[in-house]
Amino acid sequence: MTEAVRYRVSMSRPHSHLFEVEAQFPATDVLDLVLPVWTPGSYLVREYARHVQELSASDERGERVPVERVDKRTWRLRPHGRPVRVRYCVYANELTVRTSHLDGTHGFFNGATLFLYAESLRDRPHHLAVDAPPGWSVFTALERTDGGWEAPSYDVLVDSPVEVGPHRPIRFDAGGVPHEVVVWGGPVDASKLAADLAAVCDAEAALWGGLPMPRYLFLLYLVDKGRGGLEHAASTALIYPRAQISTPKGWEDFLTLASHEYFHLWNVKRLRPRAFVPFDYAGENYTRLLWAFEGITSYYDNLLVRRAGRMTPARYLVRLGEAFSALAATPGRRVQTLEEASLTAWVKYYRPDEHTPNSAVSYYLKGELVALCLDLEIRRRTRDARSLDDVMRLLWSRYGDGKGVAEDGVEAAASEVAGSDLKSFFDRALRSTDELDTSMLEHVGLRVRTRIRESAGDKGGTPPRLKEGDTRARGWTGIVARGSTIASVLEGSPAQTAGLYPDDEVIAVDGVKGDATALVSRADDRSPGEVLRVSVFRRELLVEVPVMLERRPEDAVWLAPVESPTDVQRAAFEQWVGAPLDSPA
């Protein structure tokens, strides 16, 4: 029997934010222990080794084994043919889905942040034991064994986050499989949570033809701000604002987040780019396919909540309109292609700065809209006999064994399902900065409409709401405000032409006290061609910048029914959305 690598995680002083780790490795002469620099699903080198401290090693007789630090992530041991025991601590005080956190209320850890491993032992079984404080329980998707939990490999171990705390899980069944939800950070309506998540999970299982795991675990962290999730092979960690989850729109949005991560059970965790097989934990793993693995997932996260009956048809179209509006407000869509956005995620998407809106496009956002157009294009070409659902199931049948999807695999599968070559579609959508072709929306009786944004918080997605008779042109500076400061200055905008900069602190507009948010509001009340005198502090120096306003762009988008839709369009819409084209909100 192959000897396992064994870990024990303790948290005797939770207020110190230090996890105490003990690891046992089989006998060897030289042992290089390394820690991942990133965790799968979050494409940024995060340098987890910076939080490791007090590392020491001993052999089976308790004698000290010398440790040499080789580089930022590697410790070299020479146990001279004897088993070795390594002890160290990991500082954990960052509550995100891709890091670890320990305090007096709970402990949460991602394996990539905690578990040193040996590349030569990576495919061996890895055993985990957890010493929880009194009254705390352990929650993980790993298989329970005597004395702990077992993973068949290191990859499975680090793909199974662990939550420890005084929690009472919420349980439900979906797709014939037991599910648990563990919540930290605030109360939720347990019965509503279980019923709505079960409906979404059932809808996803129906699309794929069943679930690929024997049980599933949701870890939900309610925080003051922040929204995100990280997918795993049989679990997910979600972060969501506690103030929003109790509102109708917030709840709807939370369900789309859960739907997104659950869809990754197939699309990323088992269907994955060939460039990720196997994962290289030492550095970046490059692929041009993130638009498909994240963008297609983003398309389905809303659609499956709609199919589950937890989103009305009207709200579904509003959310699509909001996505189109967000893309229209991103000048970077004219600079970066979708394939390039996928490839450079490591240095662009996960490292945004004040220039990001002008230089980059999100492979989540544009990928979602490309997936929408692809779905409708396939439906149009096949007269609604096939859809993107069939593409995903074809990919699952061919690559669901984990061998990885080739860089052209998604395009090939889509063309096969469509029954015709989709190269021109993909060339435009993925490899050019041309505006998206949305003509296929007419197949389901819709068209794209645009208007100006009517307030700073206007996300688009809906028809105009201006007061009757309010047809005047509104002034626009082209800044993105962050309280008192300018967060970004959009490419080609009046603010850029005038010489306003990111990080300028706005203190007055036309001699009247006001911040950057006030600047946006006051421009909205003025007309194109008027000049605003903007006073800012720039590197502690007072500067006045005259800004000539331009006409606010029509970058708020909504989807409207075509005039007099045909019976074919109505039938196509209903088959796509699952409701009549003119169904009520």
Side-chain angles (χ1 to χ4, degrees), residues 388-410:
L388 188 58
D389 291 6
D390 297 290
V391 177
M392 302 313 294
R393 287 190 286 261
L394 177 60
L395 290 169
W396 178 244
S397 69
R398 287 182 176 169
Y399 305 107
D401 58 1
K403 63 186 176 185
V405 180
E407 292 292 290
D408 63 351
V410 175

Side-chain angles (χ1 to χ4, degrees), residues 12 17 30 45 58 88 98 129 149 165 186 195 197 246 264 310 319 328 337 340 389 431 463 474 477 514 548 557 563:
S12 63
H17 312 296
V30 178
V45 171
S58 59
Y88 56 95
R98 81 280 299 178
W149 293 265
L197 283 181
S246 60
H264 278 319
R310 265 53 182 181
R319 288 182 69 92
T337 69
E340 184 184 5
D389 291 6
R431 292 178 281 274
R474 293 168 181 261
T477 63
M548 179 178 289
V557 180
E563 294 182 8

Side-chain angles (χ1 to χ4, degrees), residues 63-123:
E63 296 181 0
R64 175 178 171 273
V65 174
V67 178
E68 174 190 1
R69 186 70 176 264
V70 176
D71 56 32
K72 66 180 183 181
R73 64 183 290 264
T74 307
W75 289 259
R76 179 165 294 158
L77 287 65
R78 300 183 186 278
H80 302 296
R82 298 189 295 272
V84 64
R85 185 188 307 267
V86 179
R87 295 182 176 89
Y88 56 95
C89 295
V90 177
Y91 184 72
N93 193 29
E94 186 178 4
L95 183 54
T96 75
V97 296
R98 81 280 299 178
T99 53
S100 296
H101 186 252
L102 173 64
D103 65 13
T105 66
H106 82 131
F108 165 69
F109 58 86
N110 278 289
T113 73
L114 227 64
F115 298 129
L116 290 167
Y117 74 100
E119 193 67 39
S120 61
L121 305 175
R122 184 168 156 177
D123 292 332

Side-chain angles (χ1 to χ4, degrees), residues 342-468:
S342 299
L343 191 69
T344 61
W346 299 89
V347 294
K348 294 291 285 185
Y349 183 79
Y350 282 95
R351 294 189 184 276
D353 58 31
E354 71 280 359
H355 189 54
T356 295
N358 297 324
S359 64
V361 67
S362 165
Y363 52 81
Y364 285 86
L365 175 62
K366 187 175 180 181
E368 172 187 356
L369 298 177
V370 167
L372 163 69
C373 294
L374 176 60
D375 189 12
L376 298 185
E377 181 67 10
I378 293 172
R379 291 171 184 268
R380 179 171 69 174
R381 294 196 184 199
T382 64
R383 298 183 180 180
D384 293 301
R386 310 295 291 278
S387 71
L388 188 58
D389 291 6
D390 297 290
V391 177
M392 302 313 294
R393 287 190 286 261
L394 177 60
L395 290 169
W396 178 244
S397 69
R398 287 182 176 169
Y399 305 107
D401 58 1
K403 63 186 176 185
V405 180
E407 292 292 290
D408 63 351
V410 175
E411 296 179 47
S415 292
E416 183 175 339
V417 168
S420 57
D421 191 354
L422 290 170
K423 184 178 186 303
S424 61
F425 172 90
F426 286 116
D427 282 346
R428 178 170 180 167
L430 307 183
R431 292 178 281 274
S432 85
T433 55
D434 295 345
E435 300 290 5
L436 286 179
D437 175 11
T438 58
S439 62
M440 62 286 296
L441 285 167
E442 292 187 6
H443 176 67
V444 292
L446 297 176
R447 59 176 175 169
V448 170
R449 299 287 302 275
T450 61
R451 59 172 175 81
I452 65 169
R453 293 179 191 256
E454 298 168 4
S455 68
D458 185 354
K459 296 181 180 179
T462 58
R465 298 176 179 174
L466 293 174
K467 294 180 180 179
E468 185 176 356

Side-chain angles (χ1 to χ4, degrees), residues 8 54 89 112 167 315 325 336 420 441 571 576:
R8 179 173 294 276
E54 303 171 67
C89 295
H167 311 302
R315 282 294 304 160
S325 300
Q336 188 181 54
S420 57
L441 285 167
W576 170 48

